[in-house]
Amino acid sequence: MSKTIVVIGAQWGDEGKGKIVDLLAARFDIVVRYQGGHNAGHSVQVGDRSFVLHLLPSGIVHPGKICVLGNGMVIDPKAFFEEADRLTAQGIEVSPDRVKISSRAHLILPYHRALDHTSEERLGNEKVGTTLRGIGPAYEDKAGRRGIRTADALVPDVLRSRIERNLEDANRIIQAYGGEKLDADEIFNEMLRLTERLGNFISDTTHYLNVAASEGRSILLEGAQATLLDVDHGTYPFVTSSSTTVGGAICGTGLAPHRLTGVLGIVRTYTTRVGEGPFPTEMLEGEAELGQLIRERGREYGASTGRPRRCGWFDAFATRYAAEINGFTSVALTKLDVLDSLDEIKVCTGYKLDGRVCDSLPAVSQDLSRIEPIYATQPGWKTSTVGTTEMSSLPANARRYVEFLSAQIGVEIGLVSTGPERSQTIVVHHSALGSWLND
Ligand code: IMP
């Protein structure tokens, strides 16, 4: 049966989407990224080989799958070719036959990176903690109607005049904050060289995807970042600048909404966050050692920037919010094994603000920073679950923990990940996710 499934992180990112998309990709014809850029970092482990992907969808490591970079993305051509060349050296085919870049996707130019730095410096203590890849400024230009789309860049006159016009403003800001003025000719010549090579990859992917869907081809839409980093629904202003949630999958591809047949949430058994911003269940002070243990066991360091991730307990209240926005059909629960050695595991089941229980996630980030989490404590299992492939083989307390999280989120759990490798996975065959993986 034809299927179009969206995969979305339910927390602040790094939930382990790379592995799950990789498992699913084998069962789909086309894998699509719909937002963000090379701020993302997905790790995929195939046997003893490891691939890190920033711009390309995880489907790229499966020979023969078509990969699409949708119109909702912002693409740094230099980063694209660095990644493509690295993957080619690892034996992966990255050719225009299997990689299609939307003619409506926006480009990240060197001045976007410079503006990202300037903007963070200006914010000082209130900085967002961005990846400094130029993502926010490129989306600002898109919304400001002065961005340069991939198709525009193929017309040298248009490329030159837009660069000249945009750089005038960008240089004013960069220089006002002590940065070095950028040169329009230099940027134009570099972009011309890169976009000439990019040209072969560029096409109308919106039409391509809608035709593919109507012909019954299966499509996997791969979200980057995650729900709580969504520019509308996330913990604003500590968010990324794109729509990471289910609506973004529609806007960012041009696929008609009725094509979607399922939404998969990726949820980790604990929570992490990189960059600044409120994090109600963060392990701080008395729990800092525990946070460090989880960071080491879970290898919680950014795949893109190498930054240590902040670690915290599972936040069922925020995950319920993610389930509500995205309408998850099924959930993949990742990194169960990271909690193997804990005596007790806390789960945040609700929020209190100024002594009152919250009905919904507060909109103001200062309020989110003052949240008092309501915790339920679950017993640990103190046994290794690494590599377990059957739910019935899990220690009883681990199984109870999984069931408790499912009840808290209000969505079935279709898969539990017990290690980074493809084989280290429990699939619940009678779930929606089980059916997507099996047919
Ligand atoms: P930007 O996307 O670089 O503008 O960064 C905005 C916020 O999103 C920062 O807090 C980043 O740390 C965070 N962020 C961006 N990409 C990712 C990701 O792939 N995983 C986790 N956090 C991310």
Side-chain angles (χ1 to χ4, degrees):
M1 204 194 78
S2 108
K3 53 193 173 183
T4 300
I5 308 295
V6 193
V7 180
I8 299 173
Q11 295 153 323
W12 278 286
D14 311 307
E15 294 88 355
K17 291 183 288 290
K19 169 177 166 174
I20 309 302
V21 173
D22 172 61
L23 283 172
L24 280 161
R27 303 287 174 183
F28 285 75
D29 300 315
I30 304 169
V31 188
V32 189
R33 276 272 311 265
Y34 58 84
Q35 43 73 227
H38 64 310
N39 47 348
H42 290 168
S43 318
V44 180
Q45 186 82 30
V46 184
D48 56 1
R49 301 174 74 206
S50 151
F51 303 93
V52 178
L53 305 165
H54 299 289
L55 269 170
L56 284 155
S58 307
I60 197 75
V61 303
H62 290 263
K65 303 293 170 188
I66 302 290
C67 293
V68 173
L69 281 69
N71 60 278
M73 289 189 73
V74 285
I75 297 167
D76 180 333
K78 197 165 165 220
F80 174 80
F81 287 118
E82 275 168 14
E83 185 167 330
D85 293 344
R86 192 169 27 79
L87 288 170
T88 305
Q90 287 184 283
I92 305 287
E93 184 198 340
V94 187
S95 69
D97 284 344
R98 59 181 306 233
V99 176
K100 300 184 184 303
I101 299 178
S102 168
S103 47
R104 296 180 175 89
H106 279 249
L107 289 178
I108 298 181
L109 287 98
Y111 52 82
H112 292 130
R113 281 195 297 277
L115 288 169
D116 206 348
H117 279 272
T118 309
S119 162
E120 286 287 88
E121 272 164 33
R122 283 161 76 183
L123 286 166
N125 284 342
E126 286 170 32
K127 70 174 193 227
V128 177
T130 74
T131 59
L132 300 173
R133 302 285 201 261
I135 306 293
Y139 279 115
E140 281 175 43
D141 276 2
K142 173 179 174 174
R145 295 163 296 187
R146 54 181 176 266
I148 304 178
R149 307 211 284 192
T150 56
D152 301 324
L154 300 181
V155 186
D157 288 348
V158 175
L159 181 64
R160 181 183 278 282
S161 70
R162 297 256 175 101
I163 288 175
E164 281 172 357
R165 195 185 59 196
N166 291 347
L167 198 58
E168 236 176 77
D169 289 341
N171 269 337
R172 261 190 223 115
I173 300 172
I174 293 165
Q175 285 181 295
Y177 289 90
E180 229 165 88
K181 188 176 176 216
L182 302 178
D183 182 69
D185 282 337
E186 220 172 275
I187 294 177
F188 172 70
N189 290 331
E190 186 191 7
M191 292 312 283
L192 196 64
R193 185 176 54 76
L194 288 165
T195 50
E196 259 171 21
R197 194 175 162 202
L198 203 68
N200 297 329
F201 293 89
I202 297 170
S203 61
D204 185 343
T205 56
T206 300
H207 184 60
Y208 171 80
L209 288 172
N210 279 297
V211 170
S214 65
E215 287 172 352
R217 302 181 75 194
S218 51
I219 302 175
L220 185 64
L221 301 161
E222 173 183 350
Q225 292 81 52
T227 302
L228 298 173
L229 289 171
D230 184 279
V231 69
D232 284 278
H233 306 292
T235 49
Y236 193 90
F238 299 97
V239 293
T240 192
S241 299
S242 63
S243 298
T244 59
T245 47
V246 69
I250 301 298
C251 295
T253 57
L255 268 169
H258 73 275
R259 301 285 185 204
L260 294 191
T261 50
V263 186
L264 174 66
I266 312 293
V267 170
R268 191 173 23 193
T269 51
Y270 52 95
T271 315
T272 70
R273 177 162 203 168
V274 244
E276 309 303 318
F279 184 178
T281 63
E282 185 167 11
M283 292 164 176
L284 293 170
E285 286 146 25
E287 295 179 328
E289 238 173 74
L290 209 50
Q292 185 58 24
L293 181 109
I294 287 181
R295 188 172 304 116
E296 293 309 323
R297 270 203 69 121
R299 289 183 252 160
E300 297 298 353
Y301 293 89
S304 250
T305 58
R307 289 182 289 178
R309 297 177 183 142
R310 298 155 67 192
C311 295
W313 298 110
F314 185 80
D315 187 339
F317 189 71
T319 312
R320 274 201 296 277
Y321 171 74
E324 186 173 84
I325 293 167
N326 294 302
F328 294 142
T329 320
S330 199
V331 155
L333 189 64
T334 62
K335 299 209 174 184
L336 182 71
D337 55 300
V338 173
L339 304 185
D340 280 351
S341 64
L342 302 195
D343 294 324
E344 288 185 329
I345 303 167
K346 291 197 318 197
V347 173
C348 166
T349 57
Y351 283 3
K352 265 189 186 173
L353 181 63
D354 298 327
R356 275 204 298 275
V357 175
C358 300
D359 295 329
S360 64
L361 202 85
V364 178
S365 78
Q366 282 85 348
D367 286 345
L368 275 168
S369 307
R370 297 189 297 115
I371 288 295
E372 211 187 301
I374 303 167
Y375 282 117
T377 302
Q378 302 295 305
W381 43 92
K382 310 274 288 170
T383 317
S384 170
T385 61
V386 177
T388 306
T389 55
E390 297 293 334
M391 201 67 100
S392 55
S393 312
L394 283 179
N397 281 352
R399 219 166 38 239
R400 272 185 217 117
Y401 184 66
V402 172
E403 283 159 10
F404 183 69
L405 295 195
S406 177
Q408 280 291 320
I409 309 165
V411 183
E412 66 165 35
I413 288 182
L415 179 155
V416 180
S417 174
T418 55
E421 291 192 21
R422 282 178 182 167
S423 60
Q424 297 175 311
T425 306
I426 300 169
V427 177
V428 180
H429 292 285
H430 58 266
S431 67
L433 175 50
S435 73
W436 301 331
L437 281 166
N438 291 326
D439 70 24

